Amino acid sequence: MSRTARLFQLMQALRSLPSPVTAERLADETNVSIRTMYRDIDSLRGLGAVIDGEAGFGYTLIEDATLPPLGFEDEELEALVLGLREVMQVGDPSLAKGAESALAKLGARLPEGQSRRLKHAVLTAKSYNPPPAPKVDAGVLRRAAWDERRIRFDYSDVVGAKTSREVYPLSIVFMQSSHCLVAWCHLRNDFRVFRLDRMDSLDVLEECFRPRRVSMLRDYWEQMRREAQKMAHSEHAAS
Amino acid sequence: MSRTARLFQLMQALRSLPSPVTAERLADETNVSIRTMYRDIDSLRGLGAVIDGEAGFGYTLIEDATLPPLGFEDEELEALVLGLREVMQVGDPSLAKGAESALAKLGARLPEGQSRRLKHAVLTAKSYNPPPAPKVDAGVLRRAAWDERRIRFDYSDVVGAKTSREVYPLSIVFMQSSHCLVAWCHLRNDFRVFRLDRMDSLDVLEECFRPRRVSMLRDYWEQMRREAQKMAHSEHAAS
DNA sequence: GCATTCCTGACAGTTTTTGGCAAGAGCCCA
DNA sequence: TGGGCTCTTGCCAAAAACTGTCAGGAATGC
């Protein structure tokens, strides 16, 4: 393996191995002698990576300046932080966790100054009433939508009437008061929106409707757009 | 310059120079012969970068796989998209724009498959009542907070009484119904929260309170925490 | 003081890199 | 068809870089 490739591999190891990591471990990882490892660490530092090396302790990757500094502007950083914090508050557990780790990863990739900025961002999200915990696992639902798999669940509508539904899940909409699933409903043969907190007994079925999700979703939005237009029109006529 | 450093530099050049770019130009950029340039391109490809080379045309960087720097998981991507879309809806114009361009930058940095995933994310944010447009420019306020500059503005409180305030802006909180500024108020000599839509005639003053913003903010949260605790305690006692 | 680990210097053998030259091949245009 | 451009590949000998080994030195924690 060429030296350059090895350096990339080393960078990778520094990123993924739990820190601190000793030179010996890294040398083992990349198949070189310890002496060469010290030389390689040196090279990486020369290339801009900030690697903390403590005697009797090991190495810790501080800043992954491997490269493209990702150049986010201030406003973009604030937007990222605000958005992710929002998601951490309103999202279901697995999504919130995703937001948290995304934030951590971004922080790790940013140059020193920006990383601090990320931590001390000016903006904060505050949601007073986190939506009620739904009985179904939003993570499962999300994955079903992504994998374009048909699903089945029990649903209680506004007046409490219960039905069993089979649908193609298209998208999950986060509204302030509740989370909703947009889907093609096989019972009604039309698009329907289901509140997650009224769903129960979710099953992911075998049938896969790939790759129609994106186009169906487009159709749905198109239909919504037209209805909204019609609505506005009739309102206008009435005034 | 070492070969490795040169490869990084070459990557940088490929990213920033308008494509297509000829080997000669690149060779010039990195101070090597053309022959070596061809070899370097080859090395980069071997390292995973996808570089399109067309005869009689030049090179085009397709995918910046310097490595998988942004190794985002599905959940993390969805969280990013949802958060940024949310910000695009509820944020003030400049922040919304930041969210949009941040999304674009992320998309550009992601490997092919993930980039598509970003575009067709399953999640959507929907806010029914975007907060009323405040009379003051949230962007200016944000920047003042970041720069830790004292500000002055007119404020109408709940009952309509008007006061002129000078404060240290600490943080902007996005609540569902309104945006609020958390600040140290010199009039009251205490922390205060101001609704942006009740502020007017904003001026950024000369005085800079750097670097006290972060610590003041920490104090504020600490105070809030204690009050909430006290509240909970008295509630408990009352029940 | 001891163990652990980072860090540095020197040396000799090996490997890699480099520039120049030459030839092939794809694309565009006249 | 021919002629520019430009990517791509092969070969060679000199130059440069890299590597492992050995031998310390220095910082940190116990």
Side-chain angles (χ1 to χ4, degrees):
Chain A
M1 177 181 296
S2 84
R3 177 179 144 84
T4 305
R6 201 182 59 223
L7 287 180
F8 275 71
Q9 188 191 350
L10 174 57
M11 208 63 209
Q12 195 56 32
L14 278 171
R15 267 194 289 267
S16 57
L17 261 40
S19 71
V21 58
T22 69
E24 186 174 8
R25 174 86 174 75
L26 289 172
D28 208 55
E29 196 76 23
T30 53
N31 279 318
V32 294
S33 71
I34 297 195
R35 181 65 185 85
T36 299
M37 180 46 55
Y38 287 121
R39 281 194 272 245
D40 282 359
I41 291 282
D42 215 45
S43 302
L44 248 37
R45 283 175 172 156
L47 274 128
V50 179
I51 301 169
D52 178 51
E54 263 182 274
F57 194 61
Y59 288 106
T60 308
L61 179 63
I62 304 290
E63 187 184 322
D64 189 338
T66 333
L67 290 197
L70 212 36
F72 281 121
E73 305 296 324
D74 296 349
E75 303 275 313
E76 294 166 352
L77 274 184
E78 292 278 356
L80 278 165
V81 174
L82 177 60
L84 288 174
R85 284 185 180 167
E86 174 86 23
V87 172
M88 284 164 70
Q89 290 202 351
V90 308
D92 55 275
S94 80
L95 192 60
K97 209 166 157 189
E100 193 176 345
S101 59
L103 202 50
K105 281 192 185 173
L106 276 175
R109 293 270 297 89
L110 257 31
E112 168 60 17
Q114 291 210 314
S115 172
R116 269 232 322 290
R117 193 162 264 211
L118 197 69
K119 280 199 198 69
H120 298 154
V122 169
L123 306 176
T124 310
K126 176 88 184 172
S127 83
Y128 274 121
N129 39 356
K135 288 195 281 287
V136 299
D137 185 339
V140 171
L141 205 53
R142 192 159 51 236
R143 194 144 293 281
W146 181 254
D147 294 342
E148 302 178 51
R149 300 272 297 276
R150 183 175 182 150
I151 59 173
R152 201 211 62 76
F153 55 86
D154 296 329
Y155 194 67
S156 316
D157 70 10
V158 168
V159 297
K162 291 198 175 181
T163 45
S164 170
R165 307 276 184 145
E166 294 204 2
V167 310
Y168 290 153
L170 302 180
S171 172
I172 301 175
V173 179
F174 284 67
M175 290 190 289
Q176 289 176 1
S177 52
S178 62
H179 297 175
C180 295
L181 169 71
V182 174
W184 172 267
C185 178
H186 283 85
L187 183 62
R188 304 297 182 215
N189 246 318
D190 195 4
F191 295 113
R192 283 289 183 276
V193 178
F194 303 96
R195 285 181 49 164
L196 260 61
D197 55 355
R198 295 210 181 112
M199 293 170 54
D200 200 359
S201 314
L202 173 63
D203 274 327
V204 179
L205 308 179
E206 278 304 314
E207 186 187 336
C208 181
F209 60 107
R210 198 182 303 272
R212 280 148 51 209
R213 189 178 74 83
V214 173
S215 66
M216 287 177 85
L217 197 51
R218 195 163 30 229
D219 289 348
Y220 171 72
W221 290 123
E222 176 61 20
Q223 187 174 315
M224 283 301 102
R225 200 184 57 72
R226 264 207 293 274
E227 277 182 27
Q229 212 165 49
K230 204 186 302 174
M231 207 96 90
H233 201 267
S234 65
E235 236 176 68
H236 184 66
S239 75
Chain B
M1 177 183 292
S2 84
R3 176 179 145 84
T4 306
R6 201 183 59 225
L7 287 180
F8 276 68
Q9 189 192 351
L10 173 57
M11 208 65 206
Q12 195 55 34
L14 278 169
R15 268 193 288 268
S16 57
L17 261 41
S19 71
V21 59
T22 68
E24 186 172 9
R25 174 87 176 75
L26 290 171
D28 207 55
E29 196 76 21
T30 54
N31 279 319
V32 293
S33 70
I34 297 196
R35 181 66 187 87
T36 300
M37 179 45 55
Y38 287 120
R39 279 194 275 248
D40 281 359
I41 291 282
D42 213 45
S43 302
L44 249 36
R45 283 175 172 157
L47 264 80
V50 179
I51 301 169
D52 180 50
E54 260 182 277
F57 194 62
Y59 288 106
T60 308
L61 180 61
I62 304 290
E63 188 181 321
D64 190 337
T66 328
L67 32 164
L70 272 299
F72 282 123
E73 306 294 324
D74 296 349
E75 304 273 313
E76 293 166 351
L77 275 184
E78 292 278 355
L80 278 165
V81 174
L82 176 60
L84 288 174
R85 285 185 180 168
E86 174 87 22
V87 172
M88 285 164 68
Q89 291 203 348
V90 308
D92 55 277
S94 80
L95 192 61
K97 209 166 157 189
E100 194 177 344
S101 60
L103 203 51
K105 281 194 184 174
L106 277 174
R109 282 258 178 296
L110 256 32
E112 169 59 18
Q114 290 209 311
S115 173
R116 270 229 325 287
R117 192 162 268 212
L118 199 67
K119 280 200 200 69
H120 298 155
V122 168
L123 306 176
T124 309
K126 176 87 184 171
S127 83
Y128 275 121
N129 39 357
K135 287 195 281 284
V136 299
D137 184 340
V140 171
L141 204 53
R142 193 159 49 238
R143 192 144 295 278
W146 182 253
D147 294 342
E148 303 178 48
R149 300 273 296 278
R150 183 173 180 149
I151 59 173
R152 201 211 63 75
F153 55 87
D154 296 328
Y155 195 67
S156 317
D157 70 10
V158 168
V159 296
K162 290 199 177 182
T163 45
S164 169
R165 307 278 186 144
E166 294 204 2
V167 310
Y168 290 153
L170 302 179
S171 173
I172 301 176
V173 180
F174 283 68
M175 291 191 291
Q176 288 175 4
S177 51
S178 62
H179 297 174
C180 296
L181 168 71
V182 174
W184 172 267
C185 179
H186 284 84
L187 183 63
R188 305 297 183 215
N189 246 317
D190 195 4
F191 295 113
R192 282 289 183 276
V193 177
F194 303 95
R195 283 181 50 164
L196 261 61
D197 54 353
R198 296 211 181 110
M199 292 169 58
D200 201 358
S201 313
L202 173 65
D203 274 327
V204 179
L205 308 179
E206 278 303 313
E207 184 188 338
C208 180
F209 60 106
R210 198 183 303 272
R212 279 149 52 210
R213 188 178 73 83
V214 172
S215 66
M216 288 177 86
L217 196 52
R218 196 163 29 229
D219 290 349
Y220 171 73
W221 288 125
E222 176 62 20
Q223 187 174 315
M224 282 300 102
R225 201 185 56 72
R226 264 208 294 273
E227 277 182 26
Q229 213 166 47
K230 203 187 300 174
M231 206 96 93
H233 202 267
S234 65
E235 237 175 65
H236 184 66
S239 73

